[in-house]
Amino acid sequence: MYIHDLNCGWTDHPFLSSRFLVANQAQIDQLQAHGIVELYIDTQKGLSVIDAPSQAEVARELDEEIEVILQGSLPVQPRTDLHSELPWAARLLDQANKIVSQMLQDARLGKPLQLAPLQELMPQLAGSVLRNATALSVLGKIKHRDDYTFCHSVSSGVLLMAFEYIRKGSYGGLEEYGLGGMIHDIGKMQIPPEILNKPGKLTAAEFEVMKRHVNYSGDMLATCPDLPVVAVDIAMQHHERFDGTGYPYGLAGTAISEAGRASAIVDVYDALTSERCYHKGMPAPAALRKIYEWSRHHFDPDLVRSFIKCIGIYPVGTLVSLESGKLGVVIDQNESDLTRPVVRAFFSSRRQCYIPPEVIDLSRSLGFGGGDRILRNEDASQWGMDPMRFLQI
């Protein structure tokens, strides 16, 4: 059979390609050894399985199940509108980026970890999440490909804070989750740069070296007194998998802490949606579908359902194509229907030109600033657009 898609995160397997011909039992054993239990095959290039569902059938089933998850209102409502919170969130995120970047540089040079500046910033970040949990998460999407490690750390931290707050609706734990997310990859600074920054897929041997970063994180964080247990759990368990196929300890189910199970979801989601010089970022809706599909084995299914509700199938900042032929960016969620967000339309795909920006609430009836429908999400790079420019006008 010819494998078309290994159906797992591209950082979770050591194979040089996700597409190859399986010709012997040794290859099958290797697939199973890495926790791959479901995959897609190309029936034009190899043997088929008569009773297996097609990729399109699986996608339809997943989308229908996600639609059900998204029914109902958000658990908590923002206290401040997104437009008002974005400037404050941008300043805080800039501070976090500078602090984490310096922290990782110091770790690379073998200097003692100085977590105090980051810990002092956490109450302000948590305050932004309390006012509007979306603002920091939206800005966290803006990454520079060459600064992936520290951008991923900061983005994971703010996304974990938003996830925790929307899931539980309380302040408790936000600072610990944010801190854990921002230091979760500190051990990567002990990985040889030629492996960490390799512009391509790692070999099996390099993959084994990369996996050691979790253990290195543990050694480095052990030197920090009074570090919250939640933060350490996030650093040590974000590569564990619900079915026990993760690393470094092969923990399964609730043997993984709740913070560890949540960070596994956030870590993979952020990696899937991030642009790298050798890896094209996946649109948020497609990434959420994959996360949900993998929750049958790799992630806590209950937490994945909560995460989907937290993010929404069309997160703020997503470029979408409307039934009217307009392109727009999602600027807000609708509390009562997460499948019908508020969109700022700014381009006509039919006339191939920019149009005066127009806010369309997709939950409203025709004639009241609404009435349109989303046909699909769009890849902004294919259009040569930066939809984030149109978040605030």
Side-chain angles (χ1 to χ4, degrees), residues 69-70 74-75 162-168 258 262 265 288 291-292 295 300-312 338:
I69 292 171
L70 291 172
L74 287 166
F163 183 24
E164 177 70 0
Y165 176 58
I166 290 176
R167 190 162 59 93
K168 295 184 177 177
E258 185 176 76
I265 296 167
L288 285 172
I291 293 285
Y292 179 65
S295 71
D300 182 329
D302 291 334
L303 283 181
V304 166
R305 284 191 284 271
S306 295
F307 184 70
I308 290 171
K309 201 152 190 172
C310 166
I311 297 295
L338 297 174

Side-chain angles (χ1 to χ4, degrees), residues 5 61 93 103 123 125 168 179 200 208 212 215 220 228 230 252 273 291 332 347:
D5 183 356
E61 181 182 338
L93 200 65
M103 182 181 68
L125 290 169
K168 295 184 177 177
L179 179 64
E208 290 301 315
R212 296 176 196 161
N215 303 97
M220 297 169 74
V230 164
T273 54
I291 293 285
D332 205 356
F347 189 85

Side-chain angles (χ1 to χ4, degrees), residues 314 318-322 326-328 330 343 374 376-378:
Y314 300 112
T318 301
L319 182 67
V320 294
S321 180
L322 302 179
K326 298 172 183 175
L327 293 185
V330 175
V343 173
I374 291 177
R376 58 185 173 273
N377 62 283
E378 295 284 353

